[in-house]
Amino acid sequence: MEWLGTPLWAWGAFFLVIFALLAFDLGILHKKDKEIGVSESLWLSAGYITVASIFGAGVWYTLGHEDGLNFFTGFFVEKSLSLDNVFVISLIFTAFAIPRVYQHRVLFWGILGVIVMRGIMIGIGAALIAKFHWVLYIFGAFLVVTGIRMVFAKDHERPIENHPLVKYLKRHIRISDKLHGHSFTVCIPDSKTGRVVWHATPLLLALVLIECADLVFAVDSVPAVFAITQDPFIVYTSNIFAVLGLRALYFALAAVIHRFAYLKYALAAVLVFIGGKIFYAEFVDKVPALLSLGVTFGLLAAGIIVSMIKTKGQAA
């Protein structure tokens, strides 16, 4: 039996691995609130990358080498595009003064939202491509334009407190003015009526904003992986594994994200390459999956190396 062109057992194996990882993370490693240091963050990330690599090898062995190559290409692209998300998450935590001891809790529950939202977006994208093939050209053009705009875009920091979503939530939801442990909601007296009512805490506000930020970033990343392969299974699994690993790596990356200043040019080149690949494959010839992976990895590696050299010795 198949679902979206992939055997049901493959989907089952994927969800089993993901929920086992989440259960191990929250139920054993982080059963109690604690601050995650750089060393633990790196080990966690290495663990997630190892599991993702084993899963990718399984895809290669059971579904074919092309699917395996596409999985790793999508994984690298999604992981790299999500680096900007680390910067935004750091801004959100700083704006609401979320202590490091509670940050993992927010990121963990945010993953559940990512699993659902990415699934919906990828499902819609796959349905559109299956019914209207020309949608793929829109994705390709969008990626090329996004890549070009990324080169010329200026870095700017918009105060989180002034974001329209934050203002809307504060107008329509009762929000406590301070944290209450690791709780997302709390029953406290209303400041106007004195009645004890439910309030959201700054922790919940941070979670909502992080989910919205991920939704915005997914608008770029999901079409990018669809440009690599139109197989919903490969698109979804590579997305989720990349996001899982990046959330684990957050605590190590947050302090050095400024060192990746030149990575955006590599990402721009990757987006243009992937978007252009759609048109090349349609009107000239199909681009080999191995070549696609090699070019993607080479561009990203070059961006990281140049960033590390150019920003050596710079303070955050």
Side-chain angles (χ1 to χ4, degrees), residues 188-222:
I188 56 176
D190 185 83
S191 58
K192 296 179 180 178
T193 65
R195 292 186 299 109
V196 175
V197 291
W198 285 102
H199 285 67
T201 68
L203 216 60
L204 181 60
L205 197 57
L207 175 61
V208 171
L209 287 178
I210 289 172
E211 290 296 279
C212 291
D214 181 80
L215 188 60
V216 172
F217 282 107
V219 172
D220 286 340
S221 63
V222 170

mmCIF file of all heavy atoms in Angstrom, residues 188-222:
data_model
loop_
_atom_site.group_PDB
_atom_site.id
_atom_site.type_symbol
_atom_site.label_atom_id
_atom_site.label_comp_id
_atom_site.label_asym_id
_atom_site.label_seq_id
_atom_site.Cartn_x
_atom_site.Cartn_y
_atom_site.Cartn_z
ATOM 1 N N ILE A 188 -4.382 34.038 36.944
ATOM 2 C CA ILE A 188 -4.055 35.123 37.874
ATOM 3 C C ILE A 188 -5.161 36.168 37.823
ATOM 4 O O ILE A 188 -5.951 36.199 36.869
ATOM 5 C CB ILE A 188 -2.702 35.785 37.521
ATOM 6 C CG1 ILE A 188 -2.712 36.289 36.075
ATOM 7 C CG2 ILE A 188 -1.552 34.833 37.767
ATOM 8 C CD1 ILE A 188 -1.462 37.040 35.673
ATOM 9 N N PRO A 189 -5.266 37.048 38.837
ATOM 10 C CA PRO A 189 -6.300 38.084 38.837
ATOM 11 C C PRO A 189 -6.139 39.049 37.661
ATOM 12 O O PRO A 189 -5.017 39.451 37.328
ATOM 13 C CB PRO A 189 -6.076 38.811 40.170
ATOM 14 C CG PRO A 189 -5.366 37.810 41.028
ATOM 15 C CD PRO A 189 -4.497 37.038 40.090
ATOM 16 N N ASP A 190 -7.255 39.384 37.038
ATOM 17 C CA ASP A 190 -7.243 40.352 35.950
ATOM 18 C C ASP A 190 -6.919 41.739 36.509
ATOM 19 O O ASP A 190 -7.431 42.142 37.559
ATOM 20 C CB ASP A 190 -8.593 40.373 35.246
ATOM 21 C CG ASP A 190 -8.591 41.283 34.027
ATOM 22 O OD1 ASP A 190 -8.161 40.834 32.953
ATOM 23 O OD2 ASP A 190 -9.013 42.443 34.169
ATOM 24 N N SER A 191 -6.077 42.486 35.802
ATOM 25 C CA SER A 191 -5.649 43.799 36.292
ATOM 26 C C SER A 191 -6.796 44.812 36.340
ATOM 27 O O SER A 191 -6.731 45.787 37.098
ATOM 28 C CB SER A 191 -4.534 44.352 35.393
ATOM 29 O OG SER A 191 -4.976 44.463 34.050
ATOM 30 N N LYS A 192 -7.856 44.573 35.552
ATOM 31 C CA LYS A 192 -8.980 45.524 35.509
ATOM 32 C C LYS A 192 -10.137 45.092 36.406
ATOM 33 O O LYS A 192 -10.690 45.897 37.147
ATOM 34 C CB LYS A 192 -9.467 45.682 34.068
ATOM 35 C CG LYS A 192 -8.428 46.297 33.135
ATOM 36 C CD LYS A 192 -8.971 46.406 31.721
ATOM 37 C CE LYS A 192 -7.926 47.024 30.785
ATOM 38 N NZ LYS A 192 -8.419 47.106 29.388
ATOM 39 N N THR A 193 -10.507 43.810 36.330
ATOM 40 C CA THR A 193 -11.689 43.344 37.062
ATOM 41 C C THR A 193 -11.346 42.690 38.396
ATOM 42 O O THR A 193 -12.191 42.595 39.283
ATOM 43 C CB THR A 193 -12.481 42.335 36.208
ATOM 44 O OG1 THR A 193 -11.680 41.160 36.004
ATOM 45 C CG2 THR A 193 -12.858 42.934 34.863
ATOM 46 N N GLY A 194 -10.138 42.205 38.544
ATOM 47 C CA GLY A 194 -9.749 41.528 39.776
ATOM 48 C C GLY A 194 -10.137 40.064 39.799
ATOM 49 O O GLY A 194 -9.754 39.331 40.707
ATOM 50 N N ARG A 195 -10.909 39.613 38.782
ATOM 51 C CA ARG A 195 -11.302 38.203 38.714
ATOM 52 C C ARG A 195 -10.115 37.350 38.282
ATOM 53 O O ARG A 195 -9.284 37.767 37.478
ATOM 54 C CB ARG A 195 -12.453 38.005 37.723
ATOM 55 C CG ARG A 195 -13.770 38.635 38.163
ATOM 56 C CD ARG A 195 -14.927 38.287 37.218
ATOM 57 N NE ARG A 195 -14.694 38.754 35.861
ATOM 58 C CZ ARG A 195 -14.434 37.963 34.838
ATOM 59 N NH1 ARG A 195 -14.365 36.644 35.001
ATOM 60 N NH2 ARG A 195 -14.251 38.479 33.629
ATOM 61 N N VAL A 196 -10.075 36.125 38.824
ATOM 62 C CA VAL A 196 -9.005 35.203 38.438
ATOM 63 C C VAL A 196 -9.351 34.591 37.075
ATOM 64 O O VAL A 196 -10.364 33.899 36.940
ATOM 65 C CB VAL A 196 -8.828 34.087 39.489
ATOM 66 C CG1 VAL A 196 -7.790 33.073 39.011
ATOM 67 C CG2 VAL A 196 -8.420 34.683 40.828
ATOM 68 N N VAL A 197 -8.543 34.875 36.079
ATOM 69 C CA VAL A 197 -8.799 34.386 34.711
ATOM 70 C C VAL A 197 -7.487 33.880 34.103
ATOM 71 O O VAL A 197 -6.390 34.158 34.610
ATOM 72 C CB VAL A 197 -9.387 35.504 33.825
ATOM 73 C CG1 VAL A 197 -10.800 35.869 34.263
ATOM 74 C CG2 VAL A 197 -8.491 36.737 33.847
ATOM 75 N N TRP A 198 -7.627 33.165 32.986
ATOM 76 C CA TRP A 198 -6.457 32.630 32.302
ATOM 77 C C TRP A 198 -5.710 33.739 31.580
ATOM 78 O O TRP A 198 -6.310 34.602 30.941
ATOM 79 C CB TRP A 198 -6.870 31.563 31.294
ATOM 80 C CG TRP A 198 -7.250 30.254 31.917
ATOM 81 C CD1 TRP A 198 -8.500 29.767 32.117
ATOM 82 C CD2 TRP A 198 -6.351 29.272 32.424
ATOM 83 N NE1 TRP A 198 -8.461 28.542 32.726
ATOM 84 C CE2 TRP A 198 -7.149 28.206 32.928
ATOM 85 C CE3 TRP A 198 -4.965 29.176 32.516
ATOM 86 C CZ2 TRP A 198 -6.589 27.079 33.507
ATOM 87 C CZ3 TRP A 198 -4.408 28.038 33.080
ATOM 88 C CH2 TRP A 198 -5.219 27.008 33.572
ATOM 89 N N HIS A 199 -4.399 33.726 31.685
ATOM 90 C CA HIS A 199 -3.526 34.643 30.958
ATOM 91 C C HIS A 199 -2.471 33.837 30.203
ATOM 92 O O HIS A 199 -2.020 32.787 30.680
ATOM 93 C CB HIS A 199 -2.788 35.589 31.917
ATOM 94 C CG HIS A 199 -3.630 36.681 32.482
ATOM 95 N ND1 HIS A 199 -4.672 36.435 33.369
ATOM 96 C CD2 HIS A 199 -3.580 38.032 32.319
ATOM 97 C CE1 HIS A 199 -5.221 37.584 33.717
ATOM 98 N NE2 HIS A 199 -4.582 38.566 33.092
ATOM 99 N N ALA A 200 -2.101 34.317 29.043
ATOM 100 C CA ALA A 200 -0.931 33.765 28.353
ATOM 101 C C ALA A 200 0.308 34.366 29.000
ATOM 102 O O ALA A 200 0.269 35.490 29.496
ATOM 103 C CB ALA A 200 -0.976 34.113 26.880
ATOM 104 N N THR A 201 1.383 33.639 29.026
ATOM 105 C CA THR A 201 2.634 34.173 29.559
ATOM 106 C C THR A 201 3.535 34.589 28.386
ATOM 107 O O THR A 201 3.288 34.206 27.231
ATOM 108 C CB THR A 201 3.368 33.130 30.415
ATOM 109 O OG1 THR A 201 3.835 32.074 29.552
ATOM 110 C CG2 THR A 201 2.457 32.564 31.485
ATOM 111 N N PRO A 202 4.578 35.368 28.647
ATOM 112 C CA PRO A 202 5.520 35.729 27.573
ATOM 113 C C PRO A 202 6.096 34.505 26.861
ATOM 114 O O PRO A 202 6.480 34.587 25.696
ATOM 115 C CB PRO A 202 6.607 36.507 28.325
ATOM 116 C CG PRO A 202 5.882 37.119 29.479
ATOM 117 C CD PRO A 202 4.891 36.063 29.906
ATOM 118 N N LEU A 203 6.121 33.361 27.561
ATOM 119 C CA LEU A 203 6.623 32.129 26.949
ATOM 120 C C LEU A 203 5.729 31.705 25.782
ATOM 121 O O LEU A 203 6.227 31.286 24.732
ATOM 122 C CB LEU A 203 6.668 31.024 28.012
ATOM 123 C CG LEU A 203 7.823 30.022 27.931
ATOM 124 C CD1 LEU A 203 9.165 30.722 28.060
ATOM 125 C CD2 LEU A 203 7.681 28.965 29.019
ATOM 126 N N LEU A 204 4.407 31.815 25.967
ATOM 127 C CA LEU A 204 3.472 31.461 24.898
ATOM 128 C C LEU A 204 3.573 32.460 23.750
ATOM 129 O O LEU A 204 3.501 32.081 22.573
ATOM 130 C CB LEU A 204 2.036 31.430 25.432
ATOM 131 C CG LEU A 204 0.950 31.042 24.409
ATOM 132 C CD1 LEU A 204 1.213 29.650 23.852
ATOM 133 C CD2 LEU A 204 -0.440 31.101 25.045
ATOM 134 N N LEU A 205 3.752 33.729 24.076
ATOM 135 C CA LEU A 205 3.898 34.759 23.054
ATOM 136 C C LEU A 205 5.130 34.484 22.192
ATOM 137 O O LEU A 205 5.087 34.595 20.956
ATOM 138 C CB LEU A 205 4.016 36.133 23.720
ATOM 139 C CG LEU A 205 3.766 37.361 22.841
ATOM 140 C CD1 LEU A 205 2.402 37.303 22.194
ATOM 141 C CD2 LEU A 205 3.902 38.633 23.669
ATOM 142 N N ALA A 206 6.224 34.086 22.841
ATOM 143 C CA ALA A 206 7.443 33.747 22.105
ATOM 144 C C ALA A 206 7.215 32.539 21.202
ATOM 145 O O ALA A 206 7.673 32.511 20.049
ATOM 146 C CB ALA A 206 8.582 33.462 23.086
ATOM 147 N N LEU A 207 6.493 31.539 21.696
ATOM 148 C CA LEU A 207 6.198 30.336 20.912
ATOM 149 C C LEU A 207 5.386 30.680 19.670
ATOM 150 O O LEU A 207 5.696 30.206 18.565
ATOM 151 C CB LEU A 207 5.434 29.329 21.778
ATOM 152 C CG LEU A 207 4.951 28.055 21.078
ATOM 153 C CD1 LEU A 207 6.118 27.262 20.520
ATOM 154 C CD2 LEU A 207 4.129 27.192 22.041
ATOM 155 N N VAL A 208 4.368 31.507 19.816
ATOM 156 C CA VAL A 208 3.521 31.900 18.681
ATOM 157 C C VAL A 208 4.342 32.638 17.631
ATOM 158 O O VAL A 208 4.228 32.370 16.424
ATOM 159 C CB VAL A 208 2.347 32.776 19.157
ATOM 160 C CG1 VAL A 208 1.595 33.356 17.964
ATOM 161 C CG2 VAL A 208 1.399 31.963 20.028
ATOM 162 N N LEU A 209 5.193 33.547 18.075
ATOM 163 C CA LEU A 209 6.011 34.316 17.131
ATOM 164 C C LEU A 209 7.020 33.431 16.402
ATOM 165 O O LEU A 209 7.264 33.607 15.207
ATOM 166 C CB LEU A 209 6.737 35.441 17.864
ATOM 167 C CG LEU A 209 5.865 36.623 18.298
ATOM 168 C CD1 LEU A 209 6.704 37.645 19.048
ATOM 169 C CD2 LEU A 209 5.209 37.278 17.099
ATOM 170 N N ILE A 210 7.594 32.474 17.116
ATOM 171 C CA ILE A 210 8.550 31.559 16.483
ATOM 172 C C ILE A 210 7.852 30.687 15.436
ATOM 173 O O ILE A 210 8.389 30.439 14.352
ATOM 174 C CB ILE A 210 9.258 30.693 17.549
ATOM 175 C CG1 ILE A 210 10.231 31.561 18.354
ATOM 176 C CG2 ILE A 210 10.000 29.519 16.910
ATOM 177 C CD1 ILE A 210 10.845 30.865 19.550
ATOM 178 N N GLU A 211 6.628 30.247 15.744
ATOM 179 C CA GLU A 211 5.861 29.459 14.770
ATOM 180 C C GLU A 211 5.549 30.286 13.530
ATOM 181 O O GLU A 211 5.645 29.796 12.401
ATOM 182 C CB GLU A 211 4.553 28.978 15.404
ATOM 183 C CG GLU A 211 4.729 27.919 16.479
ATOM 184 C CD GLU A 211 5.302 26.632 15.924
ATOM 185 O OE1 GLU A 211 4.549 25.829 15.361
ATOM 186 O OE2 GLU A 211 6.521 26.436 16.046
ATOM 187 N N CYS A 212 5.181 31.553 13.735
ATOM 188 C CA CYS A 212 4.882 32.433 12.604
ATOM 189 C C CYS A 212 6.133 32.704 11.780
ATOM 190 O O CYS A 212 6.077 32.754 10.546
ATOM 191 C CB CYS A 212 4.286 33.753 13.100
ATOM 192 S SG CYS A 212 2.628 33.579 13.787
ATOM 193 N N ALA A 213 7.264 32.870 12.464
ATOM 194 C CA ALA A 213 8.529 33.089 11.755
ATOM 195 C C ALA A 213 8.877 31.876 10.900
ATOM 196 O O ALA A 213 9.322 32.012 9.750
ATOM 197 C CB ALA A 213 9.647 33.367 12.756
ATOM 198 N N ASP A 214 8.645 30.676 11.441
ATOM 199 C CA ASP A 214 8.925 29.465 10.677
ATOM 200 C C ASP A 214 8.022 29.377 9.452
ATOM 201 O O ASP A 214 8.453 28.942 8.385
ATOM 202 C CB ASP A 214 8.724 28.224 11.552
ATOM 203 C CG ASP A 214 9.026 26.951 10.787
ATOM 204 O OD1 ASP A 214 10.225 26.609 10.657
ATOM 205 O OD2 ASP A 214 8.075 26.299 10.309
ATOM 206 N N LEU A 215 6.783 29.803 9.599
ATOM 207 C CA LEU A 215 5.843 29.790 8.484
ATOM 208 C C LEU A 215 6.339 30.700 7.361
ATOM 209 O O LEU A 215 6.266 30.356 6.175
ATOM 210 C CB LEU A 215 4.460 30.244 8.960
ATOM 211 C CG LEU A 215 3.297 30.120 7.963
ATOM 212 C CD1 LEU A 215 3.102 28.679 7.534
ATOM 213 C CD2 LEU A 215 2.018 30.672 8.586
ATOM 214 N N VAL A 216 6.860 31.863 7.744
ATOM 215 C CA VAL A 216 7.386 32.808 6.753
ATOM 216 C C VAL A 216 8.603 32.219 6.045
ATOM 217 O O VAL A 216 8.720 32.289 4.806
ATOM 218 C CB VAL A 216 7.760 34.148 7.428
ATOM 219 C CG1 VAL A 216 8.496 35.053 6.447
ATOM 220 C CG2 VAL A 216 6.508 34.843 7.950
ATOM 221 N N PHE A 217 9.518 31.627 6.798
ATOM 222 C CA PHE A 217 10.715 31.040 6.196
ATOM 223 C C PHE A 217 10.363 29.842 5.314
ATOM 224 O O PHE A 217 11.056 29.567 4.326
ATOM 225 C CB PHE A 217 11.707 30.629 7.279
ATOM 226 C CG PHE A 217 12.489 31.776 7.844
ATOM 227 C CD1 PHE A 217 12.233 32.254 9.112
ATOM 228 C CD2 PHE A 217 13.475 32.394 7.096
ATOM 229 C CE1 PHE A 217 12.946 33.320 9.639
ATOM 230 C CE2 PHE A 217 14.203 33.461 7.603
ATOM 231 C CZ PHE A 217 13.930 33.935 8.881
ATOM 232 N N ALA A 218 9.302 29.132 5.662
ATOM 233 C CA ALA A 218 8.895 27.962 4.873
ATOM 234 C C ALA A 218 8.446 28.352 3.476
ATOM 235 O O ALA A 218 8.513 27.542 2.546
ATOM 236 C CB ALA A 218 7.784 27.204 5.594
ATOM 237 N N VAL A 219 7.992 29.588 3.309
ATOM 238 C CA VAL A 219 7.560 30.067 1.993
ATOM 239 C C VAL A 219 8.717 30.013 0.998
ATOM 240 O O VAL A 219 8.518 29.792 -0.199
ATOM 241 C CB VAL A 219 6.995 31.503 2.101
ATOM 242 C CG1 VAL A 219 6.716 32.084 0.719
ATOM 243 C CG2 VAL A 219 5.724 31.502 2.939
ATOM 244 N N ASP A 220 9.950 30.214 1.485
ATOM 245 C CA ASP A 220 11.136 30.089 0.632
ATOM 246 C C ASP A 220 11.622 28.648 0.545
ATOM 247 O O ASP A 220 11.921 28.140 -0.535
ATOM 248 C CB ASP A 220 12.286 30.953 1.176
ATOM 249 C CG ASP A 220 12.061 32.434 0.917
ATOM 250 O OD1 ASP A 220 11.258 32.758 0.034
ATOM 251 O OD2 ASP A 220 12.687 33.245 1.610
ATOM 252 N N SER A 221 11.710 27.989 1.709
ATOM 253 C CA SER A 221 12.378 26.690 1.760
ATOM 254 C C SER A 221 11.588 25.566 1.113
ATOM 255 O O SER A 221 12.170 24.685 0.472
ATOM 256 C CB SER A 221 12.730 26.334 3.206
ATOM 257 O OG SER A 221 11.562 26.193 3.989
ATOM 258 N N VAL A 222 10.272 25.568 1.280
ATOM 259 C CA VAL A 222 9.464 24.477 0.699
ATOM 260 C C VAL A 222 9.534 24.477 -0.823
ATOM 261 O O VAL A 222 9.786 23.429 -1.437
ATOM 262 C CB VAL A 222 8.010 24.538 1.209
ATOM 263 C CG1 VAL A 222 7.124 23.573 0.423
ATOM 264 C CG2 VAL A 222 7.955 24.198 2.693
#
